[in-house]
Amino acid sequence: MSDKKIKILISTDSAAIKTGLAETTRNIFIPLMQMFPNKYDIHQLGFFHFQPSEQVPWPIYQTKVNKTDKGMEPDMSDKYGEKSFHEIVTKVNPDIVFGYGDMWHFNHLIQSPFRNNYRLITYYTIDGQPYFGTRLEKDGKTEWGENLSKVDQVVVLSHFGRDVLKESCAELKDSDIKVMYHPMDMR
């Protein structure tokens, strides 16, 4: 049995701010670390990490920002870590990358040149149609179905969302898509 901790890199809203994605991230990973204190080494690439107000027990790496007259603002070309992910993933060298949000939050994680270096779990906030990326392409495939079929484990918020995703994307019809209800109000 190995004493090596499993290294997880979270990619979503900074867990140190007050958003629903951040609160959900805290509600998933803080209890996980408390239940298994010596099993996981958590790191995060945090979107919108300008004015942290919440304490979390892991390091958060900020996406690129611009200093403006109004203060710090996201560099829109790196809003969801499209540029900074590659730098952070090579620095952290995670076993697992956990992407949380909409498809545009983690599509670059799927397409990363480092993709074969980590297992990818996406917690996808799909709640039905219409949504972009399900239009059929010439060969009968869908953009997001094809991309999500490259993920090691897709997790969604509801059975309804899972069913819509499977019906909309032929590539996912037989996939084992997990359902984990939103943990924000489950305390």
Side-chain angles (χ1 to χ4, degrees):
M1 187 163 158
S2 174
D3 290 337
K4 180 183 176 265
K5 290 184 176 183
I6 297 169
K7 197 175 285 188
I8 300 174
L9 175 61
I10 304 164
S11 181
T12 193
D13 286 10
S14 167
I17 63 175
K18 290 193 178 289
T19 68
L21 294 176
E23 177 71 6
T24 298
T25 301
R26 290 189 297 272
N27 284 326
I28 292 170
F29 288 98
I30 291 174
L32 182 71
M33 292 177 76
Q34 290 169 343
M35 290 188 305
F36 305 100
N38 297 312
K39 187 163 181 146
Y40 299 102
D41 180 14
I42 309 291
H43 297 259
Q44 183 177 13
L45 175 57
F47 316 153
F48 315 111
H49 187 74
F50 312 137
Q51 297 176 327
S53 61
E54 304 296 313
Q55 295 294 316
V56 293
W58 57 78
I60 299 175
Y61 309 96
Q62 183 178 54
T63 54
K64 298 185 184 318
V65 296
N66 296 317
K67 292 179 183 178
T68 70
D69 294 340
K70 298 176 185 177
M72 302 294 262
E73 293 185 3
D75 177 333
M76 297 310 280
S77 67
D78 193 43
K79 187 174 179 181
Y80 303 116
E82 295 92 334
K83 288 182 177 178
S84 54
F85 176 75
H86 296 112
E87 177 185 322
I88 301 304
V89 78
T90 56
K91 176 181 179 177
V92 172
N93 194 25
D95 301 299
I96 298 170
V97 172
F98 179 86
Y100 176 37
D102 291 313
M103 189 66 187
W104 48 88
H105 289 177
F106 51 77
N107 199 37
H108 61 283
L109 309 178
I110 298 168
Q111 306 302 329
S112 171
F114 303 102
R115 175 62 187 90
N116 292 329
N117 297 347
Y118 55 83
R119 309 255 316 155
L120 180 59
I121 299 171
T122 57
Y123 192 20
Y124 186 22
T125 58
I126 181 173
D127 62 358
Q129 287 182 329
Y131 65 99
F132 303 104
T134 57
R135 67 186 180 285
L136 289 177
E137 303 297 330
K138 291 179 189 172
D139 58 2
K141 295 182 178 183
T142 60
E143 176 188 1
W144 287 4
E146 190 169 0
N147 288 342
L148 285 171
S149 68
K150 299 172 187 170
V151 172
D152 294 300
Q153 183 62 67
V154 176
V155 181
V156 296
L157 299 170
S158 69
H159 288 88
F160 174 77
R162 180 198 60 201
D163 295 346
V164 167
L165 193 56
K166 284 184 167 208
E167 290 168 12
S168 302
C169 301
E171 304 88 342
L172 301 174
K173 185 179 87 165
D174 297 322
S175 296
D176 180 24
I177 298 173
K178 303 290 186 203
V179 175
M180 183 173 83
Y181 290 106
H182 207 292
M184 214 159 69
D185 292 319
M186 296 183 73
R187 309 183 245 176

